[in-house]
Amino acid sequence: MLEKSLSSASDMIIYDLEDSVAPSPTDKKNARNRLAHFLTRKDMPDPHRVAVRVNDISTEFFKEDISDIVALPAVRSLVLPKIHSAENLHYVSQAIYNASKRASRDTVLNIIPSIESARASWNLGAIAGWKSAHGSASGGHLTALLFAAEDYCADTSIIRTRSRLELLYTRSQIVITAKAFGLEAIDMVCVNYKDIVYLKDECIDGRQLGFTGKQAIHPAQVEVIQSTFLPTSQEVLRAAKILHGMRAAHAAARGAVGFEGEMIDAPMLKQAEKIIAIAKAAGLEIPSISS
C-alpha cells in the first residue's frame, strides 16, 4: 500500500498510523518504523501533499508518533483524531514544539483536527480559533477541519442513512465554523466505495454545503471527488458572464444588472469571482465573453 500511494493523484496523501494499524504496541511501533523509513525516499511526492494521521492523544502511542513524524521533512501535515477541545490542541502543540526542538525542524507543521465527537461539535469555535502558544513555526498551524462521520455517529448514537439528513446540521456547522476562521472544510469519507453513483451524489451534496474537499477511502474514489469539487463548465460560463455584465454595469455607474431573469449585484459578483478563481487554479478554461 505504501508503494501504491506514490502513484496516487489525490491532492493530499494521508498515511494512517491509527485505525489502519492493529492496536498492539508491537504493531504500532513496526508501522511507525516502516512509515518513517518509507518517507525518507527520494521519490516521495511534494511534502505539501504528505500528511500522517497519528494515534490520538489519549493513547500511549501519541508522543512516539509525534517524535518520529516531526523529524521527517517529507511530512508537512498532521491529521489528529479525536480532538475534542482547544485544550487538546494545546497538548498536541506542546508535543510538536518539544519534538521540533529535538529534531531541529525548521518548517511549519500544518495541523488538521478530526471532528468526531459531540464534545468536538460543541467546541467547534474554540477548536477553529485555536492558536499555538509557541507560534505557528514551532507549535503547529491549523489549516482545516476534517469531519469523521463514522466516529461521530458512534459517539452520538446517530443512525447513519444513505440520505445523510441526520448529519446535515453537523456538516453545515463544520463548514460555517471553518469559513469563519479561514480554514478548509474537508467532508466525510464515503464508505460505499464501490458505488460510484452514490459517491458522486455525496460529493455534489458536500460541495453544495460549502465543503472545499472530501476524504477518499479508496483510490478509485479520487477522480470522482476531484472532478465533482470543481466548478462545472456551466458554472464557469455563468460566472464569466456575470463578471462581464457587472464590469459593464460599473462602467455605466450602475451597481446591479439583469441577467437571465435574475438581478445580479455585489454578493453574486463575489460568488462569480470565487468560481473563476477556483477554475483558474485548477487550470480550467475560462470562456471569453464579448458584448
Side-chain angles (χ1 to χ4, degrees):
M1 289 301 292
L2 291 175
E3 290 290 338
K4 287 183 179 179
S5 70
L6 297 177
S7 62
S8 173
S10 61
D11 298 298
M12 182 171 283
I13 304 167
I14 302 175
Y15 296 99
D16 186 24
L17 292 175
E18 193 208 14
D19 290 345
S20 297
V21 181
S24 78
T26 299
D27 287 325
K28 292 291 187 182
K29 181 178 180 179
N30 289 341
R32 189 188 310 115
N33 290 342
R34 283 196 303 272
L35 180 60
H37 177 72
F38 176 77
L39 292 175
T40 61
R41 291 174 49 147
K42 296 185 183 299
D43 58 345
M44 287 299 298
D46 185 315
H48 292 95
R49 292 183 59 215
V50 178
V52 175
R53 182 167 73 160
V54 296
N55 290 279
D56 79 80
I57 62 173
S58 69
T59 69
E60 61 183 294
F61 316 115
F62 171 74
K63 287 188 176 179
E64 289 186 56
D65 286 352
I66 293 295
S67 180
D68 285 4
I69 298 307
V70 166
L72 296 170
V75 181
R76 294 293 170 83
S77 298
L78 284 180
V79 177
L80 303 170
K82 299 174 178 61
I83 293 298
H84 308 300
S85 66
E87 288 73 23
N88 290 165
L89 290 174
H90 285 311
Y91 183 85
V92 170
S93 181
Q94 184 64 51
I96 291 173
Y97 175 78
N98 293 340
S100 294
K101 292 300 180 186
R102 290 193 300 270
S104 299
R105 185 186 177 98
D106 58 1
T107 53
V108 176
L109 198 58
N110 297 320
I111 292 176
I112 305 171
S114 183
I115 306 304
E116 48 189 84
S117 69
R119 188 175 164 211
S121 179
W122 183 260
N123 290 323
L124 263 179
I127 291 171
W130 172 84
K131 303 290 183 186
S132 172
H134 301 290
S136 296
S138 300
H141 173 62
L142 205 68
T143 57
L145 299 179
L146 179 148
F147 183 40
E150 306 311 319
D151 293 277
Y152 184 77
C153 289
D155 183 70
T156 58
S157 299
I158 287 174
I159 298 173
R160 189 88 147 81
T161 70
R162 286 179 68 88
S163 75
R164 302 176 296 275
L165 289 177
E166 67 281 354
L167 296 173
L168 177 59
Y169 169 77
T170 304
R171 292 169 75 211
S172 296
Q173 184 187 32
I174 289 172
V175 169
I176 297 303
T177 306
K179 299 302 174 69
F181 288 92
L183 305 174
E184 301 294 324
I186 310 302
D187 201 9
M188 59 194 183
V189 162
C190 178
V191 295
N192 304 87
Y193 70 93
K194 292 185 177 181
D195 191 338
I196 298 301
V197 174
Y198 181 75
L199 171 63
K200 179 83 172 180
D201 181 64
E202 195 168 283
C203 289
I204 292 171
D205 177 39
R207 182 171 174 246
Q208 288 174 342
L209 286 176
F211 281 100
T212 48
K214 187 176 183 66
Q215 302 164 75
I217 199 172
H218 191 277
Q221 295 180 321
V222 172
E223 184 177 356
V224 173
I225 292 172
Q226 289 180 330
S227 62
T228 309
F229 272 86
L230 290 176
T232 65
S233 57
Q234 293 85 353
E235 289 171 339
V236 174
L237 176 60
R238 173 182 164 82
K241 287 181 177 179
I242 288 174
L243 293 184
H244 175 77
M246 287 301 288
R247 280 194 292 266
H250 290 166
R254 290 182 287 122
V257 64
F259 173 74
E260 296 181 351
E262 298 181 52
M263 185 57 67
I264 305 298
D265 56 7
M268 298 183 78
L269 172 61
K270 187 176 181 180
Q271 294 175 30
E273 289 172 339
K274 283 187 175 181
I275 288 173
I276 295 299
I278 293 171
K280 285 182 177 178
L284 301 181
E285 182 179 354
I286 309 300
S288 178
I289 307 298
S290 58
S291 300

